[in-house]
Amino acid sequence: MATKLSLTFRFPVEKSPKPRKSKSGVPQLNCCNGYGFSKNNSGFKGQLSMKVNAVQDEAIQSSNSETTLLSQTIPPSSSKLVLVVGATGGVGQLVVASLLNRNIKSRLLLRDPEKTISLFGNQDEEKLQVVKGDTRNPADLDPSIFEGVTHVICCTGTTAFPSKRWDGDNTPERVDWEGVRNLVSALPSSLKRVVLVSSVGVTKFNELPWSIMNIFGVLKYKKKGEDFLCESGLPFTIIRAGRLTDGPYTSYDLNTLLKATAGQRRAVVIGQGDNLVGEVSRLVVAEACIQAMDIEFTEGKIYEINSVEGEGPGTDPEKWEELFKTARA
């Protein structure tokens, strides 16, 4: 049985932290009024660095008074260092924007680091680090990439049917199966949580209507990626999303991302057992990933998520915890 909770989006208001020095072993990024490549860390090939521009201290309200990702003041940072994989995709961009807004340190693993500035602006290296790498290529996943990382959110994916996004061998088999397998194989056992974004219907890819979506194997390969993570021994949470709506916001800047809303579809429905059928806002999926990292009982669990019209939980941890807690297979 799926669980629905209708609540509103609200963002915490707390003081900004004092800057901290980088820990030993975490790469030091060279700054060049934008971005530049570090020559000092051989483990980071083509490493990109960025200089500061704080997230604006203002509240943006939509026409229906819904608070967006941009909060009034920047919340404090934490001891987390979150590696975001697939950070320039529709969900991944929103994950990064929300982490920046929370002042949580992030490291992005990107095929094309040059996209970072256009999407997220100039950021302090204490908040945002970028390393070039491709999960489809195991040789790119140098152990130094994961030094200091406490959590991983993987939002990689491609289209279910042949499209321009398949160019360069970007197929479901290469991205959703081989890429996830390579990433999971390279991750350290010290991680506190790995959150993987998957899809509803992965256990039913031979049944109608899912078999139509799976003609080119996208659901089958996502399920293989899920299974590999489940059997890895790493602490995981899997978020299976319904059909994604609201976006993608690809090539938008950070201000646009922070103003993103879920429209009228803010109420969140969470279930288990791969029984949900429906749509979900990308904003809701991104928030679910961030919330799941800190909820102890979501470890080792798989959830399906949809969004429907109504007020939603926003960023309230207690409301998200209740949603996850009351989900039933």
Side-chain angles (χ1 to χ4, degrees):
M1 180 180 68
T3 300
K4 172 183 173 183
L5 186 62
S6 295
L7 302 153
T8 56
F9 278 88
R10 284 198 287 271
F11 294 80
V13 177
E14 302 183 52
K15 294 181 180 179
S16 300
K18 295 180 180 179
R20 295 178 299 168
K21 295 181 180 180
S22 298
K23 296 181 180 178
S24 175
V26 176
Q28 302 292 320
L29 302 181
N30 296 334
C31 298
C32 320
N33 295 325
Y35 57 96
F37 294 98
S38 171
K39 299 179 181 179
N40 300 325
N41 297 286
S42 58
F44 284 77
K45 301 176 182 178
Q47 179 174 290
L48 189 65
S49 64
M50 289 152 297
K51 196 62 179 166
V52 177
N53 250 352
V55 178
Q56 297 178 8
D57 296 338
E58 59 179 314
I60 304 292
Q61 300 287 334
S62 68
S63 58
N64 64 355
S65 297
E66 174 192 349
T67 303
T68 66
L69 278 174
L70 198 57
S71 61
Q72 288 184 325
T73 58
I74 303 173
S77 67
S78 68
S79 58
K80 294 188 184 76
L81 173 55
V82 182
L83 178 70
V84 184
V85 188
T88 59
V91 172
Q93 290 178 64
L94 294 167
V95 168
V96 176
S98 190
L99 291 172
L100 286 171
N101 199 46
R102 286 168 158 91
N103 212 16
I104 296 175
K105 186 186 296 186
S106 307
R107 184 178 295 162
L108 314 185
L109 177 63
L110 299 177
R111 298 177 192 171
D112 181 9
E114 292 185 2
K115 289 183 179 180
T116 310
I117 295 297
S118 61
L119 286 173
F120 309 118
N122 295 320
Q123 299 293 331
D124 189 330
E125 65 187 46
E126 281 293 310
K127 289 181 64 176
L128 188 66
Q129 304 167 354
V130 181
V131 60
K132 184 176 182 179
D134 187 338
T135 58
R136 299 172 301 175
N137 181 12
D140 282 3
L141 303 177
D142 189 278
S144 58
I145 292 173
F146 310 108
E147 289 178 5
V149 171
T150 58
H151 299 74
V152 174
I153 298 178
C154 180
C155 312
T156 54
T158 187
T159 55
F161 298 96
S163 69
K164 189 174 181 179
R165 287 184 61 188
W166 281 30
D167 292 352
D169 203 21
N170 203 45
T171 63
E173 181 176 11
R174 295 284 283 133
V175 175
D176 294 310
W177 163 226
E178 295 178 13
V180 171
R181 179 194 63 197
N182 294 338
L183 175 66
V184 171
S185 297
L187 293 176
S189 59
S190 57
L191 291 173
K192 295 181 178 179
R193 192 70 61 89
V194 180
V195 180
L196 174 68
V197 177
S198 185
S199 172
V200 298
V202 293
T203 66
K204 304 175 181 180
F205 59 80
N206 286 323
E207 305 173 16
L208 286 171
W210 307 108
S211 57
I212 298 173
M213 184 178 177
N214 192 56
I215 288 175
F216 293 93
V218 66
L219 295 178
K220 177 180 73 174
Y221 292 124
K222 283 185 180 294
K223 183 63 168 61
K224 290 183 72 172
E226 283 189 12
D227 291 345
F228 193 84
L229 175 59
C230 292
E231 295 167 3
S232 68
L234 294 169
F236 72 86
T237 304
I238 295 172
I239 304 293
R240 292 173 175 166
R243 189 177 73 84
L244 296 170
T245 64
D246 302 321
Y249 300 95
T250 305
S251 80
Y252 285 22
D253 61 18
L254 180 60
N255 276 340
T256 304
L257 292 171
L258 292 174
K259 295 175 188 176
T261 75
Q264 299 299 313
R265 304 175 65 86
R266 300 187 296 275
V268 176
V269 180
I270 295 182
Q272 290 185 287
D274 204 7
N275 295 313
L276 285 186
V277 178
E279 301 177 335
V280 62
S281 164
R282 286 176 169 85
L283 190 64
V284 168
V285 177
E287 187 62 31
C289 291
I290 293 171
Q291 294 288 343
M293 291 193 304
D294 292 327
I295 301 176
E296 185 175 351
F297 64 77
T298 63
E299 181 181 329
K301 299 293 194 304
I302 301 174
Y303 298 94
E304 292 80 47
I305 188 166
N306 282 349
S307 55
V308 295
E309 289 191 9
E311 295 304 315
T315 62
D316 189 317
E318 292 183 0
K319 294 170 182 176
W320 276 100
E321 183 170 339
E322 185 63 23
L323 276 168
F324 280 113
K325 184 183 296 182
T326 56
R328 292 287 184 272

